């Protein structure tokens, strides 16, 4: 069907309810109708909506109406795009837009009236095909990509962004060969190498400025000056997917852990909480390693937030009335429960190895007032022990499994190293090493074992040092 520009304008000018209803009920088509675009939106930004799903073959911008038509190469690609954006609201310049099937099966435009859009499309198509763009350089600057390596900066990082999350997102655009993550100027950054510079350019064009999770973890992407990354270790900070035999840096090879990377994609489906195709929901990534290793069975976003902790020391912990060595713990959501389970299952507490599994219960019911005479149930929703009092707290970035090294914060002025060593030694452990941060309000303290560190954290987190000054204790990823 040949479709003229003037016919399209006439169709959109008819604003009757019946016409809108017919548009909303249009059957699948590879032509998509995009509405409520922000003012001054560019053709490139509209095309970027469709790039993750396949080849974009045509575009028609109707800027006066804040609308556009986008044609994809296949109907299947258009269906995938509409299905995805039905669950995840698409955004352009942080403005929600609406995408639906057009009642047109093919988009043919008058090139004379749509010259700029066609030039942009030609340039993007050249990038997709791996050839050199031949469009007017004054219309769009899409020079041949200088490198297969991208430099990625994460802004507003309220949730952890791991190496595996990056691999899952960027592999949508081509083969990811290597990733190196690091922190610079207090910002999480990464270098990511594709097998082909064209894939790097497609990823940059589509993902730059997008959020990994809703309203946070914004991707800032540029080409790196490097053309090849040198990865020495396969661990949680760096990965060479072409060399699974590389050591982890602790004397072991990485085959066991990192050959399981492909399992992540099969475990997770796209969450409605995410902003990018292929991304996973906050906090799930850290639990993924445990899941891949067979320790956790994940079943998606509907997982209970309640954990069953068992094999506890009956002399120290008494929770469940009929099972003195077991307790039910309810977290705020299923992702946090999975993360806690992956970090705590198998840890030794009070001399016994604790077992942590997902409970069949969806909530922990509080007893009616006056009926809990043994004080076996307690509501911690208002507890001062919480590190996550504010939604999107930056503390989500610092969730680490138990280790012998503890991170101390909110240290009271005037307290010295000897004072803190004595405090932690009196808790029953032996202090192996200590280090103050420059401002002396934070420090690292290393115990002789993980079990000792767990014990001292339980005893001293939120410890009142006087003057309503409470010490904060958490597990550290660092060593001294």
């Amino acid at each position: 069907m040949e479709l003229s520009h003037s016919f399209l304008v006439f169709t959109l000018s008819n604003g009757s309810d019946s016409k809108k209803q017919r548009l909303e009920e249009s059957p699948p088509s590879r032509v998509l109708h995009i509405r409520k675009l922000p003012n001054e939106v560019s053709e490139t930004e509209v095309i970027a909506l469709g790039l993750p799903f396949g080849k974009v073959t045509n575009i028609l911008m109707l800027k006066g109406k804040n609308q556009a038509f986008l044609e994809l190469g296949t109907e299947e690609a258009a269906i995938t795009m509409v299905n995805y954006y039905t669950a995840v609201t698409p955004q352009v310049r942080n403005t929600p837009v609406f995408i639906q099937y057009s009642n047109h099966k093919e988009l043919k435009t008058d090139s004379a009236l749509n010259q700029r859009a066609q030039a942009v499309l030609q340039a993007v198509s050249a990038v997709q095909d791996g050839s050199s763009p031949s469009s007017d350089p004054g219309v769009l600057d899409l020079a041949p990509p200088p490198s297969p390596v991208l430099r990625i900066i994460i802004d507003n990082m309220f949730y952890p962004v791991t190496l595996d999350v990056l691999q899952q997102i960027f592999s949508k655009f081509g083969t990811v060969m290597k990733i190196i993550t690091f922190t610079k100027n207090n910002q999480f950054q990464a270098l990511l190498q594709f097998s082909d510079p064209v894939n790097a350019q497609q990823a940059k064009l589509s993902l730059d400025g997008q959020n990994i999770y809703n309203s946070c973890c914004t991707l800032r992407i540029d080409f790196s000056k490097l053309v090849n990354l040198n990865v020495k270790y396969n661990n949680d900070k760096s990965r060479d997917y072409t060399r699974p035999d590389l050591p982890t840096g602790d004397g072991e090879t990485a085959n066991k852990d990192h050959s399981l990377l492909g399992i992540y994609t099969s475990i997770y489906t796209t969450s409605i909480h995410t902003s990018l195709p292929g991304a996973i929901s906050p906090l799930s990534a850290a639990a993924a390693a445990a899941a891949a290793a067979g320790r956790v069975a994940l079943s998606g976003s509907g997982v209970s937030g309640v954990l069953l902790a068992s094999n506890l020391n009956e002399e120290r912990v008494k929770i469940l009335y009929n099972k003195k060595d077991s307790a039910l713990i309810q977290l705020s959501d299923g992702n946090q429960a999975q993360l806690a389970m992956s970090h705590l299952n198998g840890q030794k507490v009070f001399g016994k190895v604790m077992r942590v599994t997902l409970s069949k219960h969806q909530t922990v019911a509080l007893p009616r007032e006056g009926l809990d005479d043994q004080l076996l149930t307690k509501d911690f929703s208002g507890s001062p022990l919480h590190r996550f009092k504010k939604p999107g707290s930056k503390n989500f970035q610092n969730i680490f499994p138990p280790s012998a090294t503890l991170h101390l914060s909110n240290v009271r002025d005037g307290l010295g190293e000897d004072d803190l060593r004595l405090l932690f030694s009196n808790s029953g452990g032996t202090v192996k090493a200590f280090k103050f941060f420059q401002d002396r309000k934070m420090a690292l303290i290393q115990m002789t074992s993980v079990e000792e560190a767990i014990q001292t954290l339980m005893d001293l987190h939120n410890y009142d040092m006087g003057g309503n000054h409470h010490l904060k204790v958490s597990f550290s990823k660092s060593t001294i």
Side-chain angles (χ1 to χ4, degrees):
M1 170 183 179
E2 184 167 351
L3 188 62
S4 70
H5 182 268
S6 59
F7 180 81
L8 274 174
V9 174
F10 171 78
T11 300
L12 295 171
S13 299
N14 186 343
S16 67
D17 291 339
S18 60
K19 175 63 72 175
K20 290 181 180 179
Q21 184 70 22
R22 287 202 299 273
L23 276 173
E24 290 171 0
E25 295 176 353
S26 297
S29 166
R30 65 191 185 100
V31 179
L32 301 178
H33 182 197
I34 305 172
R35 299 182 290 119
K36 296 197 174 180
L37 289 165
N39 294 327
E40 305 304 324
V41 66
S42 69
E43 290 84 353
T44 306
E45 290 171 292
V46 176
I47 292 171
L49 288 170
L51 281 182
F53 306 95
K55 186 176 181 64
V56 177
T57 53
N58 209 346
I59 181 174
L60 175 65
M61 301 289 292
L62 300 174
K63 292 188 176 181
K65 298 181 177 296
N66 298 93
Q67 300 182 19
F69 285 88
L70 197 67
E71 180 187 273
L72 277 75
T74 65
E75 189 174 292
E76 291 74 14
I79 292 173
T80 302
M81 179 174 170
V82 169
N83 288 344
Y84 175 76
Y85 286 130
T86 298
V88 181
T89 301
Q91 294 193 359
V92 176
R93 299 191 183 188
N94 294 319
T95 300
V97 300
F98 296 88
I99 299 177
Q100 63 192 49
Y101 297 116
S102 168
N103 57 349
H104 306 294
K105 296 299 182 183
E106 185 178 6
L107 184 60
K108 291 187 177 181
T109 55
D110 187 335
S111 59
L113 297 174
N114 200 31
Q115 187 173 8
R116 176 184 168 85
Q118 293 302 312
V120 173
L121 183 64
Q122 181 183 356
V124 173
S125 297
V127 172
Q128 288 181 311
D129 296 335
S131 57
S132 298
S134 58
S135 61
D136 181 353
V139 174
L140 179 68
D141 181 16
L142 270 181
S147 168
V149 180
L150 296 175
R151 182 178 68 116
I152 303 160
I153 298 176
I154 310 293
D155 287 340
N156 303 316
M157 190 167 140
F158 294 146
Y159 296 109
V161 176
T162 66
L163 182 148
D164 297 316
V165 169
L166 292 175
Q167 192 273 344
Q168 191 170 348
I169 293 170
F170 281 81
S171 62
K172 181 79 177 178
F173 300 89
T175 301
V176 175
M177 300 182 69
K178 304 172 186 178
I179 304 177
I180 298 174
T181 64
F182 55 95
T183 300
K184 184 177 181 181
N185 300 327
N186 293 321
Q187 278 190 311
F188 178 85
Q189 301 189 25
L191 294 172
L192 184 146
Q193 181 177 341
F194 280 99
S195 60
D196 191 316
V198 171
N199 301 137
Q201 187 160 24
Q202 285 181 277
K204 179 182 181 299
L205 179 65
S206 198
L207 298 180
D208 185 33
Q210 297 288 326
N211 295 328
I212 297 178
Y213 307 126
N214 280 351
S215 303
C216 68
C217 300
T218 306
L219 292 165
R220 303 298 179 195
I221 305 172
D222 286 305
F223 285 107
S224 170
K225 295 180 180 179
L226 301 173
V227 295
N228 186 50
L229 298 180
N230 182 25
V231 177
K232 295 181 178 179
Y233 303 113
N234 281 343
N235 52 36
D236 61 344
K237 297 297 181 186
S238 61
R239 194 79 52 83
D240 186 337
Y241 297 97
T242 69
R243 292 284 309 280
D245 58 314
L246 288 179
T248 61
D250 56 8
E252 298 181 4
T253 59
N255 287 356
K256 180 177 180 181
D257 293 331
H258 302 307
S259 63
L260 295 168
L261 183 69
I263 296 178
Y264 300 153
T265 304
S266 63
I267 291 175
Y268 292 105
T269 56
T270 303
S271 165
I272 61 172
H273 301 295
T274 60
S275 295
L276 290 177
I280 58 180
S281 57
L283 304 181
S284 293
R295 288 186 286 155
V296 188
L298 302 182
S299 57
S301 59
V303 172
S304 164
V306 179
L307 298 175
L308 173 64
S310 59
N311 199 39
L312 304 174
N313 189 315
E314 294 184 27
E315 300 302 317
R316 305 295 297 270
V317 180
K318 295 180 179 179
I319 305 293
L320 290 183
Y321 184 79
N322 294 322
K323 293 196 68 177
K324 304 298 184 184
D325 70 341
S326 299
L328 291 174
I329 304 103
Q330 181 177 347
L331 286 89
S332 63
D333 59 49
N335 286 324
Q336 290 193 27
Q338 289 171 346
L339 188 59
M341 176 172 57
S342 70
H343 285 342
L344 299 178
N345 183 40
Q347 297 291 346
K348 188 176 284 189
V349 181
F350 299 133
K352 298 189 70 174
V353 176
M354 179 172 60
R355 302 300 177 197
V356 183
T357 59
L358 290 173
S359 170
K360 63 182 180 181
H361 299 282
Q362 296 298 310
T363 60
V364 175
L366 292 172
R368 291 195 297 272
E369 187 175 353
L371 295 183
D372 189 13
D373 55 351
Q374 298 192 37
L375 301 178
L376 297 179
T377 309
K378 186 174 181 179
D379 184 356
F380 285 91
S381 57
S383 171
L385 298 174
H386 288 302
R387 297 176 180 86
F388 310 111
K389 296 179 181 179
K390 297 180 181 179
S393 167
K394 67 179 182 179
N395 290 323
F396 276 112
Q397 303 171 34
N398 300 314
I399 301 175
F400 304 111
S403 64
T405 304
L406 297 171
H407 180 272
L408 315 182
S409 60
N410 203 35
V411 176
R412 197 189 72 190
D413 290 340
L415 279 183
E417 177 178 339
D418 291 342
D419 299 314
L420 291 168
R421 279 179 173 268
L422 180 61
L423 177 65
F424 278 75
S425 296
N426 287 342
S427 185
T430 302
V431 177
K432 189 176 179 180
F434 182 92
K435 177 184 178 181
F436 259 125
F437 286 73
Q438 188 172 2
D439 62 1
R440 298 183 70 85
K441 294 188 180 299
M442 295 190 294
L444 295 177
I445 190 165
Q446 186 174 343
M447 312 303 291
T448 57
S449 68
V450 175
E451 185 179 3
E452 278 190 7
I454 293 173
Q455 176 66 53
T456 52
L457 181 145
M458 289 190 295
D459 290 344
L460 297 176
H461 175 58
N462 206 48
Y463 178 80
D464 190 349
M465 297 182 291
N468 200 29
H469 216 84
H470 293 83
L471 182 67
K472 303 299 181 185
V473 185
S474 59
F475 296 114
S476 173
K477 64 176 179 180
S478 305
T479 56
I480 304 174

